[in-house]
């Protein structure tokens, strides 16, 4: 919730700024004065001016909104990564306290534990040799890249590439063991990417409709004003 509030403020400000720019543009158009000899051609010229400036304002609003939605979804995805990886470690630690004969059962403690669908948990001994992991991830469990993680800060989510595949990982030291949870990047960001695609699609529809409605509304108002001015001067 704190992340949503933090990202909502600049997003609202960006939209407010876009509305303000649009209002200033409309005010400028409404106050523009044209020489009398231009009234015969002013309808087309003003229509083009409205179209260009309104398009600029709508594109600016779209860009601002898209940027802050992207930042918001990134923060949500990061929090999700932290939560999933932390829960996997917490559950593993809980199972290790519950085991009375931990040393004899440590090899099987994370065999069936997963993070999401394709993530996993590895338990290392004090010499950083893997003791427990799902069988299908044996090759990755022995990859030397994993040992570099233990030189970094504990209980912090970090990016890591293992055998050409990108992961988010997190570790914690418990007794004489190190517990490492890993989650594939593509799976971790899947929800974020879907949300971005949906939001972008909806924004395009909304701003396209907004552009059309405002353009034709203002065009109609301005054209009517020009007709009234022409009628006043020529009559």
């Amino acid at each position: 919730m704190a992340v949503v509030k933090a990202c909502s403020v600049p997003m609202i400000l960006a939209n407010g700024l876009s509305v303000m720019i649009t209002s200033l543009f409309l005010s400028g158009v409404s106050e523009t004065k044209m020489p009398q000899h231009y009234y015969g051609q002013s309808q087309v010229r003003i229509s083009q001016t409205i179209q260009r400036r309104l398009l600029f304002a709508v594109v600016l609003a779209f860009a601002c909104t898209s940027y802050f939605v992207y930042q918001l979804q990134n923060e949500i995805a990061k929090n999700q990564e932290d939560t999933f990886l932390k829960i996997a470690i917490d559950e593993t630690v809980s199972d290790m306290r519950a085991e009375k004969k931990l040393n004899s059962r440590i090899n099987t403690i994370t065999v069936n534990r997963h993070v999401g669908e394709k993530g996993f948990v590895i338990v290392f001994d004090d010499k950083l040799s893997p003791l427990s992991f799902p069988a299908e991830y044996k090759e990755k469990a022995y990859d030397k890249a994993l040992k570099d993680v233990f030189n970094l800060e504990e209980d912090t989510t970090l990016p890591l590439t293992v055998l050409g595949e990108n992961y988010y990982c997190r570790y914690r030291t418990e007794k004489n063991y190190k517990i490492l949870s890993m989650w594939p990047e593509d799976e971790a960001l899947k929800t974020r990417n879907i949300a971005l695609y949906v939001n972008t699609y909806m924004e395009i529809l909304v701003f396209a409709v907004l552009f059309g409605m405002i353009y034709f509304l203002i065009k109609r108002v301005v054209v009517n004003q020009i007709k009234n001015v022409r009628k006043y001067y020529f009559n």
Side-chain angles (χ1 to χ4, degrees):
M1 184 60 70
V3 175
V4 175
K5 289 182 179 179
C7 294
S8 295
V9 172
M11 190 172 178
I12 293 171
L13 289 175
N15 282 300
L17 180 62
S18 301
V19 173
M20 182 183 71
I21 292 174
T22 304
S23 299
L24 291 174
F25 152 73
L26 296 179
S27 298
V29 170
S30 63
E31 294 175 1
T32 301
K33 295 182 179 180
M34 303 289 289
Q36 292 186 20
H37 62 277
Y38 279 121
Y39 285 128
Q41 303 173 355
S42 60
Q43 179 174 333
V44 175
R45 295 185 179 183
I46 291 181
S47 177
Q48 292 174 346
T49 301
I50 292 174
Q51 189 175 19
R52 288 195 299 268
R53 294 185 182 181
L54 183 58
L55 180 61
F56 171 78
V58 170
V59 170
L60 178 63
F62 174 76
C64 292
T65 303
S66 298
Y67 173 77
F68 287 110
V69 167
Y70 177 79
Q71 294 298 325
L72 174 62
Q73 292 298 331
N74 264 345
E75 288 299 321
I76 292 174
K78 185 177 183 301
N79 286 343
Q80 187 181 44
E81 293 155 15
D82 293 341
T83 301
F84 273 52
L85 295 171
K86 182 177 181 299
I87 288 176
I89 294 177
D90 290 342
E91 291 177 347
T92 302
V93 170
S94 179
D95 290 345
M96 292 170 64
R97 287 168 185 170
E99 290 287 347
K100 294 181 179 181
K101 298 181 180 180
L102 180 59
N103 291 334
S104 61
R105 299 287 302 277
I106 191 65
N107 293 336
T108 60
I109 200 106
T110 62
V111 170
N112 297 315
R113 188 174 303 286
H114 294 274
V115 182
E117 296 180 5
K118 300 179 181 179
F120 52 93
V121 179
I122 306 174
V123 177
F124 295 83
D125 61 16
D126 55 353
K127 296 180 180 179
L128 302 184
S129 297
L131 298 176
S132 179
F133 48 84
E136 62 268 31
Y137 299 108
K138 180 178 180 179
E139 186 178 4
K140 292 178 179 177
Y142 281 93
D143 189 84
K144 294 181 180 179
L146 298 184
K147 296 183 180 180
D148 296 334
V149 175
F150 303 119
N151 297 323
L152 304 175
E153 187 176 354
E154 190 172 331
D155 267 327
T156 302
T157 300
L158 303 165
L160 179 68
T161 301
V162 181
L163 299 179
E165 188 172 354
N166 296 325
Y167 285 87
Y168 289 110
C169 65
R170 188 185 187 100
Y171 84 94
R172 184 186 307 166
T173 302
E174 184 68 23
K175 297 181 180 179
N176 295 324
Y177 304 100
K178 291 187 183 296
I179 307 167
L180 176 67
S181 58
M182 302 182 65
W183 197 17
E185 183 182 277
D186 57 349
E187 183 182 338
L189 298 180
K190 183 178 180 180
T191 303
R192 184 206 69 175
N193 293 338
I194 292 175
L196 286 176
Y197 294 146
V198 172
N199 275 308
T200 301
Y201 175 74
M202 294 303 297
E203 286 172 17
I204 291 174
L205 289 180
V206 170
F207 282 109
V209 172
L210 180 65
F211 173 80
M213 291 180 63
I214 295 179
Y215 171 68
F216 286 110
L217 177 62
I218 300 304
K219 180 181 177 182
R220 182 175 180 180
V221 171
V222 173
V223 169
N224 287 338
Q225 288 182 346
I226 292 175
K227 288 180 178 179
N228 290 335
V229 171
R230 292 178 62 188
K231 184 178 181 181
Y232 173 80
Y233 277 101
F234 287 100
N235 292 335

